[in-house]
Amino acid sequence: KITGNVSINGQSFDLARANTSINGKIKQAKFNQYNYQNLALKGKINNGIFDVNAVSDDPNANLNLTASGDFKKDLKNVKLNGNIGNLNIKALNFYDEALSISGEIDGAFDNLDFENPNGYLSLKNLSVTDETEKLAIDEMKLNAISSENQNQITLESKVINAEIKGKFNLLE
């Protein structure tokens, strides 16, 4: 069940050809046995190119995120930027134990092809909290570089550094 006011204007349900805009305020929406509240959504898609902003003032999903990219064939040129004030994973029914996340997110991927990922994801002022502990990380960076012969993914932070090299598919 969704309650709110949403305006959708445009043409075509085919994302590669659509020319559509959406603007709305969702008062409440039930998903995964949780009733989300106070979500504002504004976006557009034009011939597969999308740009969207979501602002949530829900007490368990407080965030402001902007995303853009290209839907034409595969998901390409994806950019993500925003602030997660509080994401209570347990309250949202995605995890059985207490777990909350907050921080800033910035990323850009030439493509999100799991065989050849290329791009970066940066998390700053990251805070992960469970019932007993709070882990604070100033910055965590994930870099993915793929070529015809090799994939390389690196994770860098003050807490952990890791690297995977080889030819692999992330879904296998």
Side-chain angles (χ1 to χ4, degrees), residues 121-123 126 137-142 155-157 160:
L121 182 66
S122 173
L123 303 170
L126 179 65
I137 301 173
D138 292 334
E139 185 172 20
M140 182 178 285
K141 294 180 185 176
L142 177 84
L155 177 66
E156 299 173 18
S157 76
I160 186 171

Side-chain angles (χ1 to χ4, degrees), residues 2-116:
I2 298 174
T3 305
N5 289 322
V6 177
S7 172
I8 301 173
N9 296 306
Q11 47 191 262
S12 185
F13 290 104
D14 178 358
L15 295 177
R17 296 183 307 151
N19 185 2
T20 304
S21 65
I22 184 170
N23 190 358
K25 293 190 187 286
I26 298 171
K27 189 173 181 179
Q28 63 180 10
K30 191 159 191 168
F31 177 76
N32 198 33
Q33 304 300 314
Y34 180 79
N35 193 30
Y36 290 82
Q37 303 171 46
N38 305 318
L39 174 65
L41 185 63
K42 185 174 186 175
K44 62 184 176 184
I45 185 166
N46 188 359
N47 294 318
I49 307 295
F50 70 92
D51 189 4
V52 66
N53 177 253
V55 177
S56 173
D57 286 328
D58 187 286
N60 292 305
N62 180 276
L63 52 88
N64 183 341
L65 297 175
T66 299
S68 63
D70 183 343
F71 266 124
K72 288 181 188 165
K73 184 176 177 187
D74 297 318
L75 198 50
K76 296 186 182 286
N77 300 319
V78 176
K79 292 184 173 89
L80 177 66
N81 184 278
N83 186 343
I84 301 168
N86 177 45
L87 201 56
N88 186 329
I89 307 299
K90 180 180 181 182
L92 300 174
N93 297 316
F94 288 106
Y95 194 66
D96 291 335
E97 310 217 1
L99 184 64
S100 291
I101 299 170
S102 65
E104 301 163 34
I105 187 168
D106 180 51
F109 284 85
D110 293 340
N111 69 63
L112 285 177
D113 174 0
F114 288 104
E115 290 184 36
N116 300 298

Side-chain angles (χ1 to χ4, degrees), residues 117-160:
N118 278 298
Y120 76 90
L121 182 66
S122 173
L123 303 170
K124 292 183 180 179
N125 302 315
L126 179 65
S127 176
V128 180
T129 307
D130 66 13
E131 286 183 12
T132 59
E133 295 183 69
K134 179 178 180 178
L135 176 63
I137 301 173
D138 292 334
E139 185 172 20
M140 182 178 285
K141 294 180 185 176
L142 177 84
N143 287 300
I145 301 170
S146 295
S147 68
E148 187 176 315
N149 300 321
Q150 179 174 301
N151 298 355
Q152 178 179 351
I153 297 176
T154 57
L155 177 66
E156 299 173 18
S157 76
K158 289 183 179 179
V159 176
I160 186 171

